Structure formats: structure tokens, C-alpha cells
Amino acid sequence: MTTYLKQHLYRHEQDVFRPGERDGRFELGGIRFSLGICSDNHFPGLPGRGAADGCRVHLVL
């Protein structure tokens, strides 16, 4: 099981939530996936780190 917490919070979210500190990844059927949520996907480092770790698919919510 994988848990992923949004890393880049909008200003209004910062009053209520803390940013996640780890990238989310999992493997299914021999394929590695990386995860991203909302504004995290505006930062190329997130999918880039996944690709460097062998992820072939970046799932975005």
C-alpha cells in the first residue's frame, strides 16, 4: 500500500495542512507508478524523481 501527501500547498491550505515529505510510488503488474496531486504537478522534480526511480507512469489527481 502506498500513501502520498501533497507536497506543494496553496496558501489557504498551509493554515490547515502540513506538506508531505515523501514521494508516492507503487508497482502493479511489473510497472512502476509515481503519484502527484494538484499543484505538485507544476514542479517537474516530482515526475523526474519518479522516472529516475524507474517509474513508467505518473498518475495525477
Side-chain angles (χ1 to χ4, degrees), residues 4-10 13 18-20 37-40:
Y4 176 73
L5 302 174
K6 186 177 177 181
Q7 296 177 11
H8 300 90
L9 303 176
Y10 288 111
E13 295 171 325
R18 290 183 319 157
I37 297 174
C38 192
S39 60
D40 286 344

Side-chain angles (χ1 to χ4, degrees), residues 4 7-8 23 25 34-35 39-53 58:
Y4 176 73
Q7 296 177 11
H8 300 90
D23 294 344
R25 296 194 180 87
S34 62
L35 302 172
S39 60
D40 286 344
N41 297 293
H42 294 280
F43 297 85
L46 181 64
R49 288 190 302 272
D53 192 35
H58 182 69

Side-chain angles (χ1 to χ4, degrees), residues 24-26 31-34 47 49-58:
R25 296 194 180 87
F26 67 94
I31 299 173
R32 288 187 50 77
F33 294 79
S34 62
R49 288 190 302 272
D53 192 35
C55 295
R56 293 176 46 200
V57 179
H58 182 69

